[in-house]
Amino acid sequence: MNKNTIIGFILMGLVLFGFSWYNQPSEEQINAQRKQDSIENALKEKAEREQMAKAAAKKAQAEAALTDSTQLFFSALQGKNQQLTLKNKKVELKVNTKGGYVAAAKLLGFKDKSGDENLTLFADKEQSLNFLLAGKQTNIITADLFFEPTNATDSTLTLTAKATNGGELTLNYRLGEGYLLHLSMQTKGLDGIFAPNYRQVDIEWTGKCRQQEKGFTFENRYATLTYKEKDDDSDYLSETEKVIDEPMEKALDWLAFKDQFFSSVLITKDDIAANSQLSSIPLEKGSGYLKQYQAKFKTSFDPTGAAPTEFEIYYGPNDFQVLKDVDSECSFDKDLDMQQLVYLGWPIVRLINRWFTIYVFDWLTSWGFNMGIVLILITLLLKVITYPLVKKSYMSSAKMRVLKPKLDEATKQYNKPEDQMQKQQAMMALYSKYGVSPLGGCLPMLIQFPIWVAMFNFVPNAIQLRGESFLWISDLSTYDPIIEWGTNIWLIGDHLSLTCVLFCVSNILYSMMTMRQQRDQMVGQQAEQMKMMQWMMYLMPLMFFFMFNDYAAGLNFYYFISLFFSAAIMWLLRKTTDDEKLLAILEARYKENKDNPKKTSGLAARLEAMQKQAEEMRKQREQMMRK
């Protein structure tokens, strides 16, 4: 290290030392800072002492409450859990003596996906019902109590938790002949522990929805936490999104933990109070469950014990007729409308299903037909009913087909793009003279669409199809795989459904028939536009494949049969229509209307008026451009 470097380091050290000495605080500043630090430390210590005091008070209060609770139900906090059975010809229930709730429910006569003769709706720890009674000094939580059973038969059970002051908390169960279980909760000699204005009990109902069917994705669409608002229709939480503690602004009549074909429904004698909180959490495929449900709510409670808090609980199938009968079986004077658990579609579609499909389906089922045959017979019946309208529509298209040469001749001078409006007007005028409606050919689709949508909503909710086989289909209520590969592929899934393939192929063939028929009646550029339209018609079956591959085989089979019969009817009408005779009839009508053309009306008249208005506007624009 040379001399200059050493001198530089020394000078830097002197500068730093001098700067530190110059900026050091004075004695007065040091004393003031010490005083400030002392004040802050004192405040901090005071805050910590207050926080510790609050925590100690809270802990003491909790310990006091626990001591009160322990003293109040000391004997009921210890015991051995038992499962007691309530059973009839339709349902078997297991009731836990700890907590006093129904811990398992088995529906008799319904096979599960593993082949067992009876279906387990839920079992241990999959569903619970907990009452929370808030006292002045302590809370009574039924989940913590061991109840003593008495009056135990196949249809009745009384569970009692005794308090040290001689009071009691009693749960009474009564099972009827069907799927309804009556539950009442009542206290005796405990009114002194509640506040004078205490009139509602807190209830927490939780449950996991089991996967009962083979197709997880399809079944999951119909698994929802459903509820009915008082004096209103039912509604449900999202079937796909996670919903946590969603508040209900209105009072409710009932709550349902719903699966595709089965439900647990809690009905209160008095209303479920407004501001209840509902949760629904979708669970992963492969877990064995579809959803995790939770409902936190309040209902009326009489602390004097003079009147019990009463419930009806339905454990059973989502069968329209069975749910409809619950209104008369329920001991409460309520208009429950629980059949709304079977979703039948939008209002117009619901009317079709409610007053036609269900009754025809039940009537055909009562004859003992196989469910596949029932679907075929329903399809035939619908085709017979709609045949007159379909024939009228076909004849309208046939008339335009035989008039096509005359239309070509009458409109050949309007080949330029700017003349298309005049061509349309000339065509409408000619149709009017021959008494032909160009809109009649649209009728078949308009007729079939509501029926297709109605069946789209009916078949997946028809529990009668569950587990029923037909031909190669082992279960009409779920997909029928011809090949499965175990790995999920985007848009396709993990299988290929044969009925879906048949439906899509038949859709392509039917589209080809209808497009060929429409091409035969198109004139000029319409025929060219039709060539572009046909590609869209071919893409629709492909879209249907991705959509319906997971759907019930019964629905795909119905669509396949419906298209087959539609194609057969179209082919039959085409073979039995004599074009020469039809043209002769039109010529005779033309002579009658030659001097007095038939006035168009309805939609055709409005279209004609719009065409004339558009043509006038076009001429006005051309005149303005010339100026």
Side-chain angles (χ1 to χ4, degrees):
M1 185 178 294
N2 59 32
K3 180 180 177 180
N4 292 332
T5 303
I6 294 172
I7 293 172
F9 276 116
I10 293 172
L11 290 174
M12 288 174 63
L14 290 173
V15 170
L16 290 173
F17 175 78
F19 182 78
S20 299
W21 178 81
Y22 180 78
N23 285 284
Q24 68 179 350
S26 64
E27 190 67 25
E28 293 179 356
Q29 289 176 324
I30 292 173
N31 291 333
Q33 183 64 40
R34 287 174 179 172
K35 185 177 180 181
Q36 180 66 29
D37 291 342
S38 178
I39 293 173
E40 289 180 356
N41 289 334
L43 292 173
K44 185 177 181 182
E45 289 175 3
K46 182 181 178 182
E48 289 177 352
R49 286 196 300 270
E50 289 177 352
Q51 187 175 359
M52 291 175 65
K54 288 180 181 178
K58 187 176 181 180
K59 182 178 179 181
Q61 185 179 2
E63 289 176 350
L66 180 61
T67 302
D68 290 341
S69 178
T70 303
Q71 291 175 354
L72 185 62
F73 281 99
F74 178 78
S75 60
L77 291 172
Q78 298 178 358
K80 181 180 179 181
N81 184 29
Q82 304 177 57
Q83 282 199 339
L84 302 172
T85 302
L86 296 170
K87 184 178 181 181
N88 59 23
K89 294 181 179 180
K90 296 182 177 180
V91 64
E92 180 181 302
L93 307 174
K94 300 287 185 181
V95 182
N96 273 3
T97 56
K98 183 181 181 183
Y101 64 93
V102 178
K106 186 176 289 187
L107 304 182
L108 309 180
F110 292 95
K111 290 185 178 181
D112 67 9
K113 62 180 180 179
S114 64
D116 289 345
E117 292 298 321
N118 301 314
L119 180 139
T120 299
L121 188 61
F122 59 88
D124 292 342
K125 299 181 181 180
E126 291 179 350
Q127 194 172 124
S128 66
L129 183 65
N130 185 25
F131 297 93
L132 173 62
L133 300 168
K136 291 182 288 187
Q137 300 294 330
T138 182
N139 294 331
I140 302 172
I141 303 173
T142 57
D144 298 333
L145 303 181
F146 288 87
F147 291 82
E148 296 179 8
T150 56
N151 192 29
T153 68
D154 283 347
S155 59
T156 62
L157 175 63
T158 300
L159 298 174
T160 306
K162 296 182 178 181
T164 54
N165 67 350
E168 295 179 348
L169 173 62
T170 303
L171 301 174
N172 275 301
Y173 286 98
R174 185 181 71 252
L175 180 63
E177 296 180 356
Y179 298 102
L180 276 181
L181 174 70
H182 185 271
L183 166 64
S184 66
M185 187 271 293
Q186 192 170 15
T187 58
K188 177 182 177 182
L190 297 177
D191 50 310
I193 72 169
F194 301 109
N197 60 345
Y198 186 68
R199 290 293 182 270
Q200 288 185 324
V201 57
D202 288 271
I203 301 172
E204 184 177 23
W205 187 30
T206 61
K208 279 187 174 182
C209 180
R210 281 192 173 196
Q211 180 185 345
Q212 303 287 4
E213 315 305 325
K214 180 171 64 175
F216 174 88
T217 304
F218 186 64
E219 183 184 5
N220 207 24
R221 291 188 181 101
Y222 299 92
T224 59
L225 198 164
T226 307
Y227 55 90
K228 181 185 178 295
E229 294 181 343
K230 184 176 177 62
D231 301 323
D232 207 343
D233 290 334
S234 67
D235 203 349
Y236 55 90
L237 300 185
S238 171
E239 64 271 35
T240 56
E241 297 179 359
K242 183 177 181 180
V243 180
I244 302 294
D245 291 340
E246 180 166 320
M248 300 289 106
E249 296 180 358
K250 298 181 180 179
L252 308 177
D253 282 330
W254 49 259
L255 292 165
F257 292 173
K258 178 182 177 295
D259 188 11
Q260 183 180 3
F261 293 123
F262 306 97
S263 290
S264 301
V265 187
L266 184 66
I267 309 162
T268 56
K269 181 178 181 179
D270 298 306
D271 300 334
I272 295 172
N275 298 317
S276 55
Q277 295 179 326
L278 308 182
S279 302
S280 176
I281 303 173
L283 301 178
E284 294 293 327
K285 184 177 181 179
S287 65
Y289 299 97
L290 305 172
K291 302 281 192 332
Q292 171 73 53
Y293 297 136
Q294 184 182 62
K296 294 183 285 188
F297 59 95
K298 298 176 184 288
T299 192
S300 63
F301 170 70
D302 183 0
T304 67
T309 300
E310 296 184 73
F311 308 87
E312 295 273 16
I313 310 176
Y314 175 88
Y315 300 112
N318 298 333
D319 186 307
F320 186 89
Q321 300 298 352
V322 173
L323 291 168
K324 183 182 175 184
D325 292 339
V326 171
D327 272 11
S328 58
E329 296 172 5
C330 181
S331 57
F332 309 147
D333 185 19
K334 280 190 171 186
D335 186 14
L336 297 174
D337 287 333
M338 274 177 49
Q339 64 269 24
Q340 292 185 27
L341 285 171
V342 182
Y343 183 69
L344 297 178
W346 301 332
I348 296 177
V349 173
R350 186 187 305 143
L351 289 174
I352 297 174
N353 283 326
R354 174 68 179 83
W355 300 108
F356 175 79
T357 311
I358 288 176
Y359 286 103
V360 172
F361 190 84
D362 290 344
W363 177 67
L364 291 173
T365 303
S366 67
W367 287 81
F369 292 123
N370 178 278
M371 289 301 153
I373 300 298
V374 169
L375 289 174
I376 294 174
L377 292 176
I378 287 179
T379 309
L380 281 172
L381 181 60
L382 290 171
K383 294 302 179 186
V384 170
I385 293 172
T386 58
Y387 177 77
L389 293 175
V390 171
K391 182 178 180 180
K392 184 178 180 181
S393 173
Y394 173 82
M395 294 308 296
S396 178
S397 298
K399 291 172 185 177
M400 289 190 287
R401 182 180 70 245
V402 298
L403 287 176
K404 184 177 181 299
K406 296 183 179 297
L407 286 171
D408 289 336
E409 181 66 25
T411 60
K412 63 182 180 181
Q413 67 270 30
Y414 305 116
N415 289 327
K416 296 179 181 179
E418 61 269 21
D419 296 335
Q420 291 306 304
M421 191 63 67
Q422 292 174 292
K423 174 181 280 191
Q424 291 293 330
Q425 291 174 355
M427 290 171 59
M428 295 298 290
L430 192 63
Y431 283 141
S432 179
K433 291 177 181 179
Y434 280 96
V436 175
S437 172
L439 300 177
C442 302
L443 199 58
M445 182 58 75
L446 295 177
I447 295 169
Q448 292 186 58
F449 184 72
I451 297 173
W452 275 46
V453 176
M455 295 302 290
F456 177 84
N457 288 284
F458 174 77
V459 172
N461 291 290
I463 193 172
Q464 293 84 350
L465 296 178
R466 185 180 183 273
E468 293 293 323
S469 61
F470 181 67
L471 299 178
W472 70 89
I473 307 169
S474 60
D475 187 349
L476 286 164
S477 69
T478 187
Y479 61 84
D480 57 320
I482 51 175
I483 183 172
E484 295 181 273
W485 46 82
T487 303
N488 189 64
I489 299 177
W490 184 63
L491 291 179
I492 298 177
D494 57 3
H495 65 274
L496 190 64
S497 175
L498 178 56
T499 50
C500 179
V501 173
L502 290 174
F503 161 47
C504 294
V505 171
S506 62
N507 200 351
I508 292 174
L509 296 175
Y510 182 72
S511 297
M512 291 173 63
M513 290 181 66
T514 55
M515 285 188 294
R516 184 180 301 163
Q517 178 178 314
Q518 291 173 1
R519 275 200 308 268
D520 290 343
Q521 65 192 44
M522 295 295 177
V523 178
Q525 286 192 344
Q526 289 182 335
E528 296 298 323
Q529 292 172 355
M530 189 62 193
K531 293 179 180 179
M532 299 177 62
M533 181 69 71
Q534 68 183 1
W535 292 108
M536 295 180 61
M537 299 296 291
Y538 289 144
L539 285 174
M540 283 185 64
L542 182 61
M543 293 170 59
F544 284 150
F545 169 75
F546 294 123
M547 180 179 176
F548 285 88
N549 192 43
D550 261 333
Y551 271 57
L555 182 63
N556 283 321
F557 179 73
Y558 166 78
Y559 285 156
F560 165 65
I561 293 297
S562 179
L563 286 169
F564 174 81
F565 285 130
S566 294
I569 290 171
M570 187 180 295
W571 178 85
L572 180 63
L573 289 171
R574 184 70 179 90
K575 287 295 183 182
T576 55
T577 301
D578 190 326
D579 288 0
E580 293 182 0
K581 289 184 179 180
L582 182 60
L583 183 58
I585 294 171
L586 293 175
E587 290 290 357
R589 187 178 299 171
Y590 174 77
K591 291 179 181 179
E592 293 176 5
N593 298 332
K594 187 174 182 180
D595 299 322
N596 184 26
K598 185 179 178 180
K599 186 177 180 181
T600 56
S601 60
L603 182 59
R606 289 194 291 272
L607 287 174
E608 186 176 355
M610 289 173 61
Q611 290 173 352
K612 291 179 179 179
Q613 185 179 5
E615 179 64 17
E616 290 177 1
M617 291 176 63
R618 185 184 68 80
K619 290 179 178 179
Q620 290 176 3
R621 285 197 302 269
E622 290 179 353
Q623 291 176 359
M624 292 177 64
M625 290 176 65
R626 292 192 189 103
K627 293 179 180 179

